[in-house]
Amino acid sequence: MRNVSFHQKVWMALRLTSSSRVSLSVSNYRTPLRRTMSDDATGVKRPRRSLATASNAGFFLCQQCSQFHLSNKMVQDHLPHLLNLQTIDVRSLTLEKLTSLTEDPRCTIHVKQLAQMCCETCGNTPICVACIFGEHKGHVTHEVKILAKHEGEKLKKMMSELEKCRDNLYELPERVAKVCQALKANIMEQLEKARSEHKEASERNLKKAEEDRAVLEKHRKEIIKRKKEDFDQVHRELEEEMKKLKAKYDNILREKEQNYSAEEEKMAMQTSVVDEKSSVEVKELNEKLRSYEERVKASQVDNEKRITEVANHSTHTINRYENFTATAKTVQATHDEWTEAQCLPAITAAGETLIEDAKKEFGDLESLSKTSVRDTLILSGRVGITACHESVVDIKGLGSGWYVQGIAGGSDGHIVVTGYAGDDESHITVINREGGVVRQDQINKVAGSGNMPYRYCHSLSEHLTATVCESNQVGLYDNRTGKYLSKTIQDMNILWPRCATCVCTDRLNNIYVGGTERDVLVFDDQLNHHRIIKLPEIINLASDIAVHVDNLIVCDYQGNKSYAVTIQGEEAEVVHQFTKPDGGLFPLSVCTDSSQCIYMLWGGSGGRILTQYSQDGRQQSATRRVDGDARCIATIMTFEGEKLLIGTVRSKKMYTFGLVAE
């Protein structure tokens, strides 16, 4: 069976057209064709670059052969049909440049016979009647007229469907422009509001400090006044009984002098404390504003990147649409059956993907005008928990016997939950606020490990979650793509005799891993091991940990206590011990919010208690009785403000509490 190349098929299709302009994108003709030709006129037989074609001869010509056709009288009848390929605009083949190619295509096998049929089996190849019973016997063949009509109707239907998408397609750039404008306006308004709140809070702080200093100054003057009055009284008494009581009143004066000096020193110290406290609060306000602005700007960059992607998609799809419609209409305008039969299949194939892209709605485009950072900035630093949970949802997509042992707040309102998924696997599941699964992956435990595949997690950045498995595997999980980078602790030449039980991160993106020993491993955000922190001997093991300012909060499940310890250096020291609710409870989980308030989940035979501690961790601010199956807690930033999340281990529920400024 003789095969016809794609170049010859397109060339024969174009030879069929006459009297109208056809605009087609034929990238295959960007460079001259290379063919091995046998030139009967010159006797030259070797591979050459084809620079022209002679339609009467039926093949492509090299430079030497094309010159022969132009000059030799033997082939003068070929001249009207000789076409120089270098003059063809490969991006727009027009009929004006191909007016010499006017005859119907010939059979690709019997080149002296005009083609009367098309072979669908061989890609609509032109054939004669003899080929039906010869080379193309048993193939699917069609009359050109029927095939052209079929392809024309198919294209007409596709053009109609594309026309329905036209308004939506051309409206997309305008929507993109409006969203960009709305995003910039909202960002300016949001930052201006934050700066205004910061200014008001700073002014209130300075005003209160000034009032406190005025009260202290008033007290100091009263002390001086009373001192003078007492001195005057003493002097009057001295004048009356100078000789008899001089020694006695000298002692009295000395005693009173000492007392008043002590009071003055006390007032001076209190004044210094007020000034220092005011300075610290102002610095905290400045730091909160700086952090808030960074998060807003980072969210703006992400939104603008997504908007740019939509804009680029819109521009590219419009260009494809305009090129497609122009090409299709031009081919239809030829009213040539051979042209339609040869060209329309390729055009309709391109139209299918174009329709898919044109139908894309981008329903989340308008939401990009707002950032993922909440609308208001809490500057007071005093936060309370709502009296009751705001919502409770079932976490979907978790199999029977699976556990929820870790929870972490992610980006775009998404939440990461991790836990046991069988004796050999653990799961990492990304859910939305309604409990629906966004993404889920099951991870095999470390080969040869005798530990259960219990998995815990903590948010590292907006899109990354740090996670550890009790089989001593530490990893980073991308909430958007599901990409998982992991390392085995034993493979890093670290002496780690037992198993990992908890993980947390700090603002420098360091990762802390605690376990059943008193060692806490510290990694960077590339999972490179940096150092080991040895916990104090009073602590048995770390069932959960959290970084709080410059300390590490450690929940000691076995010891039924929780501690704040230092994290500087290799040997940690106890800073203070947390008070716990009544009832013989033990600590299960701990987390902090953006204002550095501390939240701890306590458990025991009497149920579960959620306790909020002050920013220094030394006082209980509030307690809430929660679900008896609660196991893990975390915070998440939403458009409505910061929220506290509680996950239950076996019932697989998620409770949400509001955190409100007081």
Side-chain angles (χ1 to χ4, degrees):
M1 175 79 61
R2 294 178 58 188
N3 295 324
V4 180
S5 69
F6 173 75
H7 302 291
Q8 289 174 308
K9 290 179 182 180
V10 176
W11 190 259
M12 285 186 285
L14 293 174
R15 288 169 60 187
L16 301 176
T17 60
S18 62
S19 74
S20 66
R21 180 179 179 85
V22 180
S23 176
L24 294 172
S25 177
V26 187
S27 60
N28 302 51
Y29 287 100
R30 187 178 299 277
T31 58
L33 301 173
R34 292 184 181 274
R35 302 284 291 174
T36 300
M37 303 294 298
S38 176
D39 186 41
D40 295 334
T42 63
V44 178
K45 296 182 179 180
R46 59 181 179 271
R48 293 181 180 275
R49 185 185 297 274
S50 300
L51 300 176
T53 181
S55 61
N56 285 13
F59 47 72
F60 294 95
L61 303 176
C62 66
Q63 182 175 5
Q64 183 177 352
C65 294
S66 65
Q67 291 296 327
F68 179 83
H69 272 66
L70 291 171
S71 60
N72 197 285
K73 295 182 179 181
M74 295 172 58
V75 289
Q76 283 184 345
D77 60 327
H78 291 195
L79 291 178
H81 304 281
L82 184 62
L83 180 63
N84 189 343
L85 296 182
Q86 292 179 335
T87 65
I88 298 176
D89 182 358
V90 299
R91 304 297 294 179
S92 180
L93 298 178
T94 61
L95 290 176
E96 286 80 0
K97 296 178 183 178
L98 305 176
T99 52
S100 63
L101 308 178
T102 56
E103 67 175 20
D104 287 341
R106 295 179 179 273
C107 177
T108 57
I109 298 173
H110 307 93
V111 294
K112 293 183 180 182
Q113 297 293 328
L114 293 178
Q116 293 90 17
M117 306 288 287
C118 277
C119 179
E120 181 181 339
T121 305
C122 298
N124 289 347
T125 301
I127 61 173
C128 63
V129 175
C131 288
I132 299 176
F133 306 99
E135 295 288 344
H136 294 268
K137 183 177 181 180
H139 291 193
V140 179
T141 60
H142 300 284
E143 291 185 11
V144 175
K145 183 175 182 180
I146 296 175
L147 181 60
K149 181 179 179 181
H150 172 73
E151 295 295 345
E153 291 175 350
K154 185 177 179 181
L155 177 63
K156 183 177 180 181
K157 182 179 179 181
M158 184 173 292
M159 291 290 288
S160 176
E161 187 171 0
L162 273 175
E163 191 63 27
K164 296 177 182 179
C165 303
R166 183 178 181 277
D167 292 341
N168 180 62
L169 188 61
Y170 278 95
E171 288 174 358
L172 189 56
E174 183 179 352
R175 290 173 59 199
V176 169
K178 289 181 178 179
V179 168
C180 288
Q181 184 178 0
L183 172 63
K184 293 178 180 178
N186 288 339
I187 290 297
M188 291 298 294
E189 180 181 354
Q190 197 170 358
L191 292 178
E192 184 62 28
K193 183 177 180 181
R195 294 188 183 104
S196 175
E197 291 182 10
H198 169 266
K199 181 179 178 181
E200 291 177 1
S202 297
E203 290 175 353
R204 288 196 304 269
N205 185 282
L206 293 174
K207 183 178 179 181
K208 186 177 184 303
E210 185 65 28
E211 292 174 351
D212 291 344
R213 282 195 295 272
V215 171
L216 292 173
E217 180 63 21
K218 180 180 179 181
H219 290 169
R220 189 183 69 83
K221 289 180 179 180
E222 290 177 354
I223 291 170
I224 294 174
K225 181 180 178 181
R226 287 188 286 110
K227 174 183 175 180
K228 184 177 181 302
E229 292 174 351
D230 283 353
F231 274 33
D232 291 343
Q233 178 65 27
V234 170
H235 282 299
R236 284 193 297 270
E237 292 176 356
L238 279 173
E239 289 176 357
E240 294 176 358
E241 302 181 8
M242 183 65 71
K243 294 179 181 180
K244 297 179 181 180
L245 302 176
K246 185 177 184 301
K248 177 182 177 180
Y249 283 104
D250 285 342
N251 291 334
I252 293 175
L253 286 174
R254 282 193 296 270
E255 290 176 1
K256 289 187 177 291
E257 183 68 31
Q258 292 174 356
N259 293 337
Y260 285 118
S261 295
E263 288 188 36
E264 288 178 349
E265 290 177 1
K266 184 178 180 180
M267 290 298 103
M269 291 179 62
Q270 291 179 353
T271 302
S272 176
V273 170
V274 169
D275 291 341
E276 183 178 356
K277 181 179 179 182
S278 174
S279 177
V280 170
E281 290 179 352
V282 169
K283 288 181 180 179
E284 290 178 352
L285 290 172
N286 291 337
E287 178 62 23
K288 287 183 179 180
L289 178 62
R290 183 195 64 77
S291 175
Y292 184 80
E293 289 178 340
E294 288 179 354
R295 288 187 285 113
V296 169
K297 291 177 181 178
S299 180
Q300 178 185 5
V301 170
D302 290 343
N303 287 15
E304 288 178 343
K305 181 179 179 181
R306 175 60 178 152
I307 292 171
T308 300
E309 292 175 356
V310 176
N312 291 340
H313 171 85
S314 172
T315 302
H316 179 64
T317 306
I318 289 174
N319 291 338
R320 289 169 56 201
Y321 167 78
E322 293 176 347
N323 184 51
F324 178 88
T325 54
T327 302
K329 290 178 180 178
T330 305
V331 172
Q332 287 180 314
T334 64
H335 302 295
D336 185 278
E337 296 172 344
W338 276 104
T339 300
E340 293 178 353
Q342 293 289 319
C343 299
L344 293 187
I347 294 175
T348 54
E352 292 175 356
T353 57
L354 177 59
I355 289 175
E356 293 179 3
D357 291 340
K359 285 183 176 181
K360 289 184 177 179
E361 294 291 338
F362 297 100
D364 62 340
L365 179 60
E366 279 69 22
S367 67
L368 296 177
S369 64
K370 296 181 180 180
T371 68
S372 60
V373 182
R374 62 191 177 91
D375 293 333
T376 59
L377 177 65
I378 297 178
L379 295 173
S380 67
R382 292 182 293 273
V383 178
I385 312 176
T386 54
C388 184
H389 59 264
E390 295 180 344
S391 66
V392 55
V393 297
D394 291 319
I395 301 175
K396 304 174 181 63
L398 302 186
S400 176
W402 289 22
Y403 295 163
V404 174
Q405 296 166 305
I407 189 168
S411 62
D412 303 328
H414 291 163
I415 298 147
V416 179
V417 293
T418 60
Y420 173 85
D423 290 342
D424 297 318
E425 290 182 328
S426 59
H427 71 89
I428 303 177
T429 305
V430 182
I431 62 174
N432 54 31
R433 294 278 300 280
E434 291 73 38
V437 175
V438 178
R439 176 180 299 280
Q440 185 179 84
D441 291 282
Q442 292 174 239
I443 313 297
N444 292 327
K445 76 174 185 179
V446 176
S449 172
N451 298 324
M452 296 297 289
Y454 297 148
R455 184 170 291 275
Y456 313 95
C457 63
H458 194 278
S459 177
L460 178 67
S461 63
E462 189 174 6
H463 302 299
L464 289 178
T465 299
T467 176
V468 294
C469 184
E470 284 199 6
S471 60
N472 291 338
Q473 182 188 75
V474 57
L476 293 176
Y477 184 80
D478 192 318
N479 308 339
R480 301 166 299 178
T481 65
K483 181 179 179 181
Y484 180 63
L485 171 67
S486 66
K487 289 186 178 181
T488 303
I489 294 176
Q490 282 81 356
D491 292 343
M492 292 184 274
N493 296 321
I494 302 173
L495 183 60
W496 187 258
R498 298 299 294 276
C499 61
T501 57
C502 53
V503 62
C504 71
T505 62
D506 63 16
R507 60 184 179 183
L508 300 178
N509 286 346
N510 292 314
I511 302 171
Y512 299 77
V513 176
T516 53
E517 299 291 332
R518 290 188 296 108
D519 291 337
V520 175
L521 306 183
V522 183
F523 301 85
D524 64 15
D525 58 2
Q526 300 300 315
L527 300 184
N528 298 311
H529 178 248
H530 277 188
R531 62 191 178 98
I532 297 177
I533 302 174
K534 178 69 71 174
L535 297 177
E537 293 184 359
I538 194 174
I539 297 175
N540 296 285
L541 61 83
S543 56
D544 198 13
I545 54 178
V547 174
H548 178 255
V549 191
D550 295 325
N551 296 329
L552 184 68
I553 302 174
V554 182
C555 294
D556 183 359
Y557 179 90
Q558 284 188 354
N560 295 344
K561 296 180 178 63
S562 292
Y563 302 90
V565 302
T566 60
I567 56 176
Q568 304 302 323
E570 297 181 357
E571 297 286 341
E573 298 179 358
V574 174
V575 178
H576 66 85
Q577 178 182 330
F578 288 85
T579 59
K580 64 178 183 179
D582 297 331
L585 304 176
F586 45 82
L588 291 172
S589 185
V590 62
C591 69
T592 62
D593 63 19
S594 60
S595 65
Q596 297 305 319
C597 288
I598 302 168
Y599 304 87
M600 197 171 297
L601 181 64
W602 297 82
S605 58
R608 298 289 191 269
I609 298 294
L610 175 66
T611 304
Q612 181 190 34
Y613 293 89
S614 59
Q615 292 170 326
D616 60 6
R618 298 180 184 274
Q619 294 180 345
Q620 293 185 19
S621 303
T623 58
R624 300 285 186 272
R625 183 169 292 276
V626 296
D627 192 310
D629 193 34
R631 174 61 182 85
C632 48
I633 60 176
T635 59
I636 184 173
M637 195 67 71
T638 70
F639 285 116
E640 299 85 23
E642 195 166 13
K643 306 293 182 182
L644 180 69
L645 306 175
I646 300 179
T648 63
V649 60
R650 292 180 176 81
S651 58
K652 291 166 280 195
K653 296 181 181 295
M654 180 178 69
Y655 291 83
T656 302
F657 285 81
L659 300 180
V660 294
E662 294 181 343

